[in-house]
């Protein structure tokens, strides 16, 4: 319409100056005029934007270069209940698209093919759909935010993201992402990635091993939904560029061994609300590091205090089974023989010596640790009905009091070591056992033996029973804080609250 209007308008008899002026405007009218008119129409042509000139390059909040639209910066313009048009992908010179805090709805338009696009901010809107081809050809993309879009129907991080090889920052806090953290977010595909925020989504599974060599500096994976991230935090230890890590309110298990020697640039670590085990990580002792490690399954919450020797041995055993959730949830405190705590699968004599292990029907995978042989008082070792692989470590023959070993119904292989004749050994239901002891010898370097530094009975730990009780509260508090953060936008515009910025938790 505007296109028709302009030429006829320029035919009016006007002063030479005005005529030439208008012709200039017309001749310079951007090739992006049509998609920009589509944007204007889709946004309901709000007066507040003042987009009346036929040339979109003259519009407020629009930047052009060589007569092409390069920046659209219309964040916080009160564009309630409006949509973005699909035609945005025609703006082939676009480098910046900012539409944050507007309550825009409908689908996020695909921007596939916009190879100049560098910065995109879709945060705090009510978009309902994320197209999976969104990232195709976005080869210049450096940062993108989908934060606080709670109404998007669940989406997984699409393969098309791989095209955005120059990505520095990917932020999708409270953006309905489901599924697993893709392996490709690591170093190989995204050598420049510095900030990854996937907090408050519906993620599951582990932190991919490919993150180990990544140069991510701020990794925010707080979990505030029913689904949780699981597995150990071993990979974090190798992410030497890390400065901030937020992993709170998930189901991470195992020992976290982080120190500033290893990760010199650290400034903040949030581990609260997980099932982490072993001693508290040393890194929290540094006054420069903002931390919260409360509500976990640590044997001690004081860094530098090691676990009871029996705990250390049991954790080494759990490590070879990849720190199963079932133990992390049950093994609370620093005394495996505490009659009130009832550690899963552990029985003891009155002196507090572990005499029985019964891990049956627990869907355990991994291998049988050589560390069992350090439980000198063990009489019964029952590991039946699991999915254990590898061999029976020959060190188990050294257990002086052992009378029963039941490893039936697993996937063990190799030779059965020679136990004393009074030991009742059951290896039934392991199709590969008894063959050559070749494939997976026990005690491979990947499975470390325990460090027995602490004298037994070193009871420096704070039992975390009480802490566990706080878990729900903390989650509710954090949840409502986040809810409020998104809610502030939903209720009224104009207040910019920085989502999940670490706050000081110590003095
Ligand atoms: C955008 O491009 C598509 C295909 O190239 C075309 O069909 C559409 O009309 C364009 N939109 C505008 C507003 O020019
Ligand atoms: C961490 O780095 C060490 C030493 O470079 C390596 O042996 C180990 O496998 C790495 N761990 C992970 C999870 O990548
Ligand atoms: C932590 O790692 C250091 C080496 O990085 C090692 O010496 C120490 O024994 C480890 N501690 C635990 C509890 O695994
Ligand atoms: C950490 O601080 C506590 C109390 O200030 C102290 O007892 C402990 O030895 C320290 N641990 C390390 C590893 O420095
Ligand atoms: C286990 O038994 C030994 C030998 O009787 C004893 O010295 C030790 O204190 C007992 N208890 C624990 C918790 O190790
Ligand atoms: C192992 O599992 C089978 C079937 O799943 C069950 O019948 C059997 O009782 C289990 N054995 C033990 C020792 O729990
Ligand atoms: C074990 O290995 C030897 C030589 O490598 C072979 O002769 C023998 O048949 C193997 N036994 C089994 C049960 O696979």
């Amino acid at each position: 319409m505007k296109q028709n209007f302009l030429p006829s308008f320029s035919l009016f008899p006007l002063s030479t100056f005005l005529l030439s002026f208008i012709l200039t405007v017309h001749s310079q009218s951007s090739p992006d005029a049509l998609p920009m008119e589509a944007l204007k129409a889709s946004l309901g042509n709000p007066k507040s934007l003042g987009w009346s000139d036929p040339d979109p390059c003259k519009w407020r909040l629009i930047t052009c270069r060589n007569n092409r639209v390069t920046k659209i910066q219309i964040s916080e313009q009160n564009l309630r209940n409006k949509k973005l048009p699909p035609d945005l992908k025609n703006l082939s010179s676009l480098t910046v698209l900012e539409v944050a805090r507007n309550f825009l709805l409908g689908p996020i338009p695909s921007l596939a093919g916009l190879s100049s696009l560098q910065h995109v901010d879709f945060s705090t809107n009510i978009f309902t759909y994320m197209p999976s081809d969104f990232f195709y050809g976005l080869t210049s993309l450096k940062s993108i935010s989908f934060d606080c879009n709670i109404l998007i129907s669940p989406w997984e991080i699409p393969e098309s993201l791989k095209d955005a090889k120059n990505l520095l920052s990917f932020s999708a806090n409270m953006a309905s992402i489901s599924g697993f953290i893709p392996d490709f977010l690591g170093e190989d595909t995204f050598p420049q990635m510095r900030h990854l925020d996937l907090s408050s989504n519906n993620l599951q599974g582990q932190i991919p091993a490919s993150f180990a060599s990544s140069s991510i500096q701020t990794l925010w994976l707080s979990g505030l939904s029913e689904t949780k991230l699981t597995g150990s935090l071993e990979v974090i230890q190798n992410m030497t560029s890390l400065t901030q890590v937020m992993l709170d309110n998930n189901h991470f298990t195992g020992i976290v061994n982080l120190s500033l020697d290893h990760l010199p640039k650290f400034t903040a670590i949030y581990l609260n609300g997980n099932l982490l085990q072993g001693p508290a990580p040393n890194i929290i002792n540094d006054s420069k590091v903002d931390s919260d490690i409360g509500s976990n399954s640590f044997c001690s919450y004081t860094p530098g205090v090691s676990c009871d020797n029996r705990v250390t041995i049991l954790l080494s055993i759990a490590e070879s089974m990849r720190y199963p959730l079932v133990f992390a949830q049950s093994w609370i405190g620093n005394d495996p023989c505490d009659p009130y705590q009832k550690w899963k699968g552990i029985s003891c004599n009155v002196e507090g010596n572990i005499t029985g292990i019964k891990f049956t029907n627990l869907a355990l995978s991994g291998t049988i640790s050589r560390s069992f042989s350090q439980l000198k008082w063990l009489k019964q070792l029952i590991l039946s009905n699991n999915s254990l692989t590898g061999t029976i470590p020959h060190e188990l023959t050294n257990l002086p009091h052992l009378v029963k070993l039941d490893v039936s119904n697993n996937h063990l292989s190799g030779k059965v070591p020679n136990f004393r004749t009074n030991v009742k050994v059951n290896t039934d239901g392991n199709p590969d056992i008894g063959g050559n002891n070749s494939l997976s010898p026990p005690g491979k370097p990947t499975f470390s033996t325990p460090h027995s530094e602490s004298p037994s009975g070193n009871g420096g730990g704070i039992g975390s029973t009480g802490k566990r009780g706080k878990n729900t509260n903390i989650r509710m508090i954090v949840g409502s804080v986040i809810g409020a953060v998104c809610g502030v936008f939903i209720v009224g515009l104009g207040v910019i609250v920085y989502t999940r910025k670490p706050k000081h938790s110590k003095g």
Side-chain angles (χ1 to χ4, degrees):
M1 275 159 71
K2 284 278 171 336
Q3 213 65 357
N4 296 338
F5 170 73
L6 241 186
S8 54
F9 181 59
S10 61
L11 291 178
F12 277 99
L14 292 164
S15 76
T16 331
F17 171 76
L18 199 51
L19 181 63
S20 67
F21 175 76
I22 286 166
L23 283 173
T24 306
V25 167
H26 181 221
S27 63
Q28 284 184 356
S29 174
S30 169
D32 293 328
L34 278 180
M36 289 305 287
E37 288 296 340
L39 173 64
K40 182 163 93 174
S42 188
L43 296 177
N45 192 7
K47 275 207 186 83
S48 55
L49 287 179
W51 287 357
S52 49
D53 196 285
D55 182 1
C57 291
K58 300 236 158 68
W59 294 356
R60 245 183 88 232
L61 311 173
I62 305 298
T63 307
C64 289
R65 234 185 126 211
N66 299 331
N67 220 13
R68 300 295 312 274
V69 172
T70 55
K71 297 183 187 179
I72 300 176
Q73 293 169 292
I74 51 172
S75 291
E76 246 175 292
Q77 295 300 313
N78 204 7
L79 307 169
R80 283 167 193 265
N81 301 329
K82 300 293 190 263
K83 293 183 182 177
L84 293 180
D87 313 83
L88 285 181
K89 75 197 267 192
N90 298 29
L91 298 168
S92 57
S93 295
L94 198 62
T95 62
V96 174
L97 175 63
E98 293 169 357
V99 300
R101 301 180 294 281
N102 277 314
F103 308 105
L104 293 165
L105 46 70
I108 289 177
S110 172
L111 300 180
L114 293 187
S115 59
S116 300
L117 198 59
Q118 293 181 18
H119 302 285
V120 177
D121 190 353
F122 285 127
S123 62
T124 312
N125 283 292
I126 47 177
F127 291 119
T128 48
Y129 179 74
M130 171 67 190
S132 63
D133 70 343
F134 181 89
F135 295 99
Y136 280 126
L138 300 192
T139 49
S140 301
L141 194 64
K142 290 190 173 135
S143 74
I144 189 155
S145 172
F146 299 98
D147 292 353
C148 218
N149 267 284
I150 55 177
L151 297 184
I152 303 187
S153 49
W155 58 293
E156 297 189 10
I157 295 172
E159 287 267 315
S160 65
L161 182 62
K162 283 185 187 172
D163 280 6
K165 290 191 188 338
N166 292 305
L167 210 53
L168 292 163
S169 169
F170 184 89
S171 194
N173 193 322
M174 293 205 111
S176 301
I177 301 180
S178 59
F180 298 85
I181 301 175
D183 222 23
F184 62 71
L185 280 179
E187 164 78 359
D188 289 349
T189 316
F190 297 102
Q192 324 248 41
M193 186 80 90
R194 297 292 179 270
H195 175 67
L196 179 63
D197 181 0
L198 299 175
S199 288
S200 308
N201 286 295
N202 300 306
L203 294 168
Q204 55 180 304
Q206 314 204 357
I207 300 178
S210 63
F211 278 36
S213 51
S214 105
S215 38
I216 292 176
Q217 294 171 354
T218 49
L219 178 65
W220 296 4
L221 298 172
S222 303
L224 287 166
S225 69
E226 287 309 303
T227 58
K228 300 285 180 194
L229 294 170
T230 55
S232 88
L233 295 181
E234 202 192 326
V235 65
I236 300 288
Q237 276 149 240
N238 285 15
M239 297 177 68
T240 46
S241 306
L242 274 183
T243 62
Q244 287 183 5
V245 61
M246 300 224 245
L247 305 169
D248 54 284
N249 296 293
N250 281 295
H251 277 163
F252 290 117
T253 57
I255 296 177
V256 212
N257 189 1
L258 297 175
S259 74
L260 281 184
D261 306 336
H262 217 124
L263 303 170
K265 296 173 207 139
F266 236 83
T267 59
I269 180 162
Y270 281 37
L271 299 175
N272 49 301
N274 278 289
L275 299 163
L276 295 165
Q277 299 160 283
N282 285 345
I283 201 158
I284 66 165
N285 247 31
D286 196 287
S287 59
K288 291 193 293 288
V289 177
D290 184 14
S291 68
D292 187 351
I293 63 158
S295 190
N296 268 293
S297 299
F298 291 123
C299 66
S300 157
Y301 285 76
T302 311
V305 176
S306 39
C307 300
D308 182 276
N309 193 34
R310 294 164 302 167
V311 176
T312 307
I313 296 168
L314 288 175
L315 290 179
S316 165
I317 289 166
E319 181 189 16
S320 69
M321 298 169 173
R322 303 172 188 136
Y323 295 116
L325 206 57
V326 60
F327 299 141
Q329 282 168 329
S330 159
W331 295 357
I332 308 294
N334 201 20
D335 180 3
C337 296
D338 181 349
Y340 301 104
Q341 195 56 53
K342 286 209 181 12
W343 282 36
K344 179 83 182 171
I346 310 295
S347 48
C348 303
N349 64 17
V350 286
E351 278 92 43
N353 297 112
I354 295 173
T355 53
I357 297 264
K358 190 177 179 189
F359 299 163
T360 189
N361 281 319
L362 296 175
L364 302 174
S365 59
T367 60
I368 301 175
S369 171
R370 289 188 301 196
S371 301
F372 277 114
S373 67
Q374 299 191 20
L375 297 170
K376 291 294 173 203
W377 292 89
L378 208 54
K379 289 183 186 155
Q380 299 210 344
L381 177 52
I382 301 172
L383 304 171
S384 59
N385 276 22
N386 287 298
S387 301
L388 298 169
T389 55
T391 59
I392 302 173
H394 70 86
E395 285 87 346
L396 299 191
T397 60
N398 299 334
L399 284 165
H401 301 285
L402 194 68
V403 292
K404 183 174 178 184
L405 174 70
D406 185 351
V407 294
S408 60
N409 300 321
N410 278 289
H411 306 301
L412 299 171
S413 56
K415 284 190 174 126
V416 181
N418 289 324
F419 285 89
R420 279 174 290 106
T421 48
N422 64 335
V423 182
K424 210 172 149 238
V425 179
N426 184 356
T427 62
D428 293 351
N430 286 282
D432 298 331
I433 210 155
N436 278 336
N437 193 352
S438 54
L439 281 173
S440 33
K444 285 180 297 180
T446 36
F447 304 123
S448 62
T449 48
H451 317 273
S452 314
E453 303 118 357
S454 75
S456 85
N458 176 0
I462 305 160
S464 63
T465 324
K467 295 250 178 191
R468 176 63 47 75
K470 273 164 48 184
N471 194 350
T472 345
N473 288 343
I474 288 170
R475 193 189 305 153
M476 274 163 49
I477 292 162
V478 177
S480 57
V481 167
I482 297 297
V485 165
C486 265
V488 165
F489 298 115
I490 303 299
V491 170
L493 286 164
V495 186
I496 305 166
V497 182
Y498 207 63
T499 328
R500 305 284 301 148
K501 193 182 161 86
K503 53 188 187 313
H504 274 273
S505 66
K506 38 183 204 196

